[in-house]
């Protein structure tokens, strides 16, 4: 097993069963898969439509990417890009704000954090849903899948917003309990985290408007356990957070309203992979170069691989096998991240 055995490609309706299997492995808080089979099937249909539609400006769409082990056909992981969020449905978060209170008579000044419900990410693109099966977490495959999202954006930037965000799953106990939810959300929603997460994933989110507190929530009134996880991500998401930060994403005190996980953001055109990606003419040949990210930039048949390449005078030289994996022929354009 090596990176040469894998390709990142657009999801298909035939991937439904494999995605259902992934859902059973992800655990609580992985909202993109916390839906039933019918809803997941609808998302796959939307993804196929999004990849196939001609688009000249950002509009709502969902691009689901699949990491496939080509020798076996097994689905090793998934990721996705939402072209625009927060328009037809709100995209709620808490912003953590610091407020100050002072009293000259008491000779006291108190700086306190409060949580304020916001929908400030409306109109942004979102990258997320990064998950790789444990047995395939080798050879930098998680990085390949993560960066494939940015290669997709670089292939057709006109489809995506100027600001890109990513929500990271918050902290859960080994028993699957969210300290943040148990000390805040449960009091207002009167339901389990799983029920709220499922409802958020499958509804128009009006229930959040109806039930979420309308006034700032003072962080000091939450339990110590809940305060400790604000802006922190799930242990299995630490690697994903580091990769996001390496791409230029930063955390600015915006968190998920259910589990308190961090939201990070970056200008689209400043994402490292988007900035570095170059369009070069493909040429087949013998290659001894280092492995680089290479994508077929035709969105309708988008594919991305890690393969050895040599760059010279506006061309990228790759093996005939790499061209075949990407579904292109010599002379066609490739998107390359040196």
């Amino acid at each position: 097993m090596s990176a040469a055995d894998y390709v990142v490609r657009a999801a298909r309706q035939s991937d439904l069963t494999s995605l259902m299997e992934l859902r059973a492995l992800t655990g609580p808080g992985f909202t993109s898969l916390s839906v039933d089979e019918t809803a997941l099937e609808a998302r796959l249909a939307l993804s196929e439509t999004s990849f196939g539609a001609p688009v000249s400006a950002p509009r709502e769409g969902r691009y689901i990417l699949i990491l496939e082990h080509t020798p076996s056909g097994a689905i090793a992981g998934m990721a996705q890009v939402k072209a625009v969020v927060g328009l037809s449905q709100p995209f709620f978060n808490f912003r953590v704000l610091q407020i100050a209170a002072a009293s000259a008579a008491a000779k006291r000044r108190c700086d306190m954090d409060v949580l304020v419900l916001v929908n400030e990410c409306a109109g942004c693109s979102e990258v997320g849903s990064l998950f790789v099966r444990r047995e395939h977490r080798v050879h930098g495959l998680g990085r390949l899948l993560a960066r494939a999202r940015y290669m997709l954006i670089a292939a057709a930037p006109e489809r995506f917003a100027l600001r890109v965000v990513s929500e990271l799953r918050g902290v859960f106990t080994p028993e699957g309990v969210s300290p943040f939810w148990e000390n805040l959300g449960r009091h207002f929603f009167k339901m389990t985290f799983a029920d709220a997460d499922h409802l958020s994933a499958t509804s128009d989110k009006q229930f959040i408007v109806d039930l979420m507190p309308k006034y700032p929530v003072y962080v000091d009134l939450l339990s110590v356990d809940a305060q400790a996880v604000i802006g922190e991500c799930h242990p299995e998401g630490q690697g994903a957070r580091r990769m996001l930060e390496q791409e230029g994403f930063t955390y600015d005190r915006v968190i998920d309203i259910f589990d308190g996980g961090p939201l990070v953001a970056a200008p689209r055109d400043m994402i490292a992979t988007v900035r570095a990606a170059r369009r070069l003419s493909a040429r087949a040949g013998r290659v001894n170069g280092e492995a680089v990210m290479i994508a077929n930039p035709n969105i309708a048949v988008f594919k991305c691989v890690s393969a050895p390449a040599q760059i010279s005078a506006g061309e990228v030289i790759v093996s005939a096998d790499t061209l075949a994996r990407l579904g292109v022929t010599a002379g066609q354009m490739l998107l390359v991240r040196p």
Side-chain angles (χ1 to χ4, degrees):
M1 184 185 295
S2 70
D5 293 328
Y6 293 82
V7 62
V8 179
R9 59 164 175 81
R12 301 186 285 257
Q13 287 280 15
S14 57
D15 296 319
L16 178 62
T17 299
S18 295
L19 290 184
M20 295 292 289
E21 293 174 0
L22 289 185
R23 185 182 68 171
L25 302 174
T26 56
F30 202 86
T31 306
S32 57
L33 287 179
S34 62
V35 294
D36 59 27
E37 184 173 349
T38 300
L40 190 53
E41 188 173 20
R43 291 184 178 185
L44 283 170
L46 175 58
S47 179
E48 282 195 321
T49 299
S50 299
F51 274 105
V55 177
S56 59
R59 70 183 193 191
E60 289 186 317
R62 184 187 296 263
Y63 299 82
I64 300 176
L65 295 171
I66 295 295
L67 177 65
E68 180 181 321
H69 180 244
T70 49
S72 66
I75 303 308
M78 69 161 293
Q80 73 173 341
V81 183
K82 294 179 184 177
V84 182
V85 298
L87 297 185
S88 62
Q89 296 180 3
F91 188 83
F92 288 119
N93 295 101
F94 278 134
R95 175 164 282 285
V96 186
L97 296 176
Q98 186 178 76
I99 62 172
S103 169
K107 298 181 181 180
R108 292 288 186 275
R109 174 191 168 93
C110 299
D111 295 327
M112 294 168 285
D113 283 344
V114 297
L115 307 178
V116 179
L117 190 67
V118 296
N119 185 28
E120 63 184 58
C121 294
C124 294
S125 294
E126 182 190 11
V127 296
S129 305
L130 180 66
F131 181 78
V132 178
R133 295 178 72 119
R134 190 170 299 278
E135 62 270 27
H136 295 277
R137 296 175 188 175
V138 293
H139 308 302
L141 293 174
R143 187 176 299 277
L144 168 65
L145 182 55
R147 283 182 171 170
R149 300 173 301 184
Y150 314 128
M151 293 291 276
L152 176 70
I153 293 172
E158 69 280 1
R159 292 174 178 250
F160 303 98
L162 293 176
R163 185 169 182 249
V164 182
V165 300
S166 184
E167 285 188 309
L168 289 151
R169 185 163 34 156
V171 174
F172 290 80
T173 68
E175 295 74 32
V177 175
S178 165
F180 187 79
W181 174 261
E182 293 300 318
N183 286 277
L184 179 56
R186 181 185 277 276
H187 295 296
F188 296 94
F189 288 83
K190 307 300 182 185
M191 63 180 73
T192 66
F193 177 91
D195 288 341
D197 195 40
H198 178 77
L199 193 56
S200 176
T202 57
S203 75
D204 62 1
K205 298 180 174 56
Q206 179 62 38
F207 81 105
I208 297 175
V209 178
D210 296 336
L211 300 177
M212 185 59 75
K214 307 301 187 294
Y215 301 99
V217 175
Y218 283 78
V219 171
D220 283 352
L221 297 180
L222 302 179
S223 73
V224 173
D225 288 345
Q227 292 182 45
V229 301
I230 291 175
E232 299 296 325
C233 69
H234 193 284
E236 290 194 359
Q238 294 291 349
R241 183 172 189 169
R242 286 192 295 270
M243 287 190 288
L244 284 160
E245 290 170 346
Q246 289 164 3
E247 291 288 338
F249 286 77
T250 57
Y251 169 62
D252 188 29
R253 307 194 88 197
V254 177
I255 64 171
D256 184 81
I257 61 171
F258 290 162
D259 62 27
L263 179 140
V264 295
R268 180 195 68 195
D269 298 334
M270 296 303 291
I271 296 171
T273 293
V274 175
R275 293 175 62 194
R278 299 167 57 186
R279 290 177 183 266
L280 301 168
S281 178
R283 180 156 67 91
R286 297 176 65 88
V287 183
N288 296 314
E290 294 183 355
V292 299
M293 294 276 293
I294 310 172
N296 180 343
N298 182 347
I299 291 296
V301 289
F302 179 83
K303 289 182 178 179
C304 188
V305 300
S306 175
Q310 291 177 335
I311 297 173
S312 175
E315 288 186 324
V316 56
I317 305 168
V318 297
S319 69
D321 177 68
T322 297
L323 291 180
R325 291 167 63 202
L326 290 168
V328 301
T329 58
Q332 290 185 271
M333 299 302 290
L334 290 177
L335 191 66
V336 181
R337 186 194 196 279

